[in-house]
Amino acid sequence: MNVITNHMPTDELQRLDAAHHMHPFTDGADLAKTGARVITGADGVTLTDSNGHKILDAMSGLWCVNIGYGRRELAEAASRQMMELPYYNTFFQTTHVPAIALASKLAELAPRDLNHVFYAGGGSEANDTNIRLVRHYWMQKGQPERNIIISRKNAYHGSTLGGGSLGGMSGMQTQGVPVIPGIHHIDQPDWWSEGGDMSPHDFGLERARQLEKAIEELGAHRVAAFIAEPVQGAGGVIVPPDSYWPEIQRICDEHGILLIADEVICGFGRTGHWFGSQHYDIRPHIMTIAKGLSSGYAPIGGSLVCDEVAEVVNGAGDFNHGYTYSGHPVACAVALENLRILEEEKIIDRVAAETAPYLAEKWQGLTDHPLVGEAKIVGMMGSIALTPHKDSRAAFAAEAGTVGLHCRTRCFANGLVMRHVGDRMIIAPPLVITKDEIDTLIERAVTSLDETYDLIRAEGLYKVG
Ligand SMILES: *Cc1c(COP(=O)(O)O)cnc(C)c1O
């Protein structure tokens, strides 16, 4: 048997990785040149790489390790479940205890009448389910022509053909998606980049009313649903103006279309509430969940579905849809233990009352830095916009993302994972991050911004595009 240990030299691991492992969202040629960073362990909010460097993970992996790394309880829950029942499916009138226990717990935690869960392996699969679910629903209601789903540009809803078609990220749209017909994209509520001379309030209303315009143009009788993330995550932690969501809710209500909140990032405490929909006081018919559901310890996602939609679908014979790992018992057991920890340790309450306000104050302080235009933050997800000219919100002359990438590289060198989306820097640290660790995060961010500033001035990149 081949045993690949942590003790192999880093360059040998990197060589094997580049030779045999195709990475998601990665430039393969670049990777082969520089070698991937090899992460070997983690505890709390801190990663260790194969060279023994300690790195503060201000991205919770990929927005998912909400309870932090190294919780034995989850490993033990997985091990117990593997010994008892490692796998059984939930097709054809069968079930098992972990799937039941997690479904009823989710129904208890979810707002209003979102009392039903359809399990998936992650967020992308869950959004694929949602496409079929809402179309099937309207078919059963005698309105088969109601099959268009409205989404937004620069949204992220996953990487499957369904999720990728719903999403609106320009980098994905030229690589094999969209392929699903009947998906229509409206503009995003990104005031910093697209707000022009409008006030954030007016801009938020204008962007929300694009939904109404689209419904009128397409014909209300043809629109099945609107899908959106409460706060766009992968798009750059785009926090919408306060005027945006109430107007979206009004439009969905008046035109009788289903609202799908993609809570894959915003769910499970990220905003300081259990769900982002509660932060914005919106009333979705379906919520997409994944990531923080298991804090990333096991792959699991799903659709939380309201009574009305579930009753129609359940009353319509077989729903010919499902994944081999829908409601995987080990993943369900791990998720359940994760929810127990979030709840019993009052982690979300502490975020709302203590650490999120503390982080928000420090984060907003970053706008004192010469490179930082706006700083936005909701709960434990934040972004800063880098700019050569704050008043005009100008972009850099260099290709979008050049300065952001420099900054990300400096962050890594300074022991901090911050991601860049174009020239926005984003964070979503584990919800268990302490005030001391927040201080460290901010110190390292400032050092990295200083170094980026010096570097781009030296390279002649500090100029308006
Ligand atoms: C990550 C993400 C997804 C996709 O989830 P996967 O588990 O990667 O399939 C979908 N929607 C949003 C908002 C996400 O952030």
Side-chain angles (χ1 to χ4, degrees), residues 62-63 121-125 127 156-159 229 233-234 262-265 288 290-291 300:
L62 279 178
W63 323 82
S124 309
E125 285 182 7
N127 278 327
Y156 187 71
H157 296 300
S159 253
E229 307 153 76
D262 187 336
E263 294 267 4
V264 170
I265 287 174
T288 320
K291 292 188 176 134
I300 183 168

Side-chain angles (χ1 to χ4, degrees), residues 207-276:
R207 286 292 153 106
R209 286 175 189 157
Q210 278 197 17
L211 174 60
E212 192 152 51
K213 238 187 262 158
I215 293 170
E216 280 159 6
E217 279 166 22
L218 296 162
H221 64 289
R222 293 178 57 214
V223 178
F226 174 65
I227 182 167
E229 307 153 76
V231 175
Q232 283 155 268
V237 185
I238 309 297
V239 179
D242 288 340
S243 56
Y244 183 76
W245 273 113
E247 187 67 358
I248 291 281
Q249 183 69 58
R250 175 193 70 74
I251 294 164
C252 290
D253 289 347
E254 278 181 26
H255 296 274
I257 67 172
L258 299 175
L259 175 57
I260 307 169
D262 187 336
E263 294 267 4
V264 170
I265 287 174
C266 292
F268 305 101
R270 182 57 59 197
T271 67
H273 301 263
W274 276 95
F275 297 96

Side-chain angles (χ1 to χ4, degrees), residues 344-361:
E344 285 186 14
E345 298 183 4
K346 302 192 188 331
I347 290 172
I348 300 171
D349 295 344
R350 195 167 62 241
V351 165
E354 290 174 38
T355 45
Y358 186 78
L359 174 62
E361 197 194 320

Side-chain angles (χ1 to χ4, degrees), residues 104 128 160 226 360 381 435:
S104 53
D128 281 31
T160 50
F226 174 65
M381 59 194 300
K435 289 184 179 176

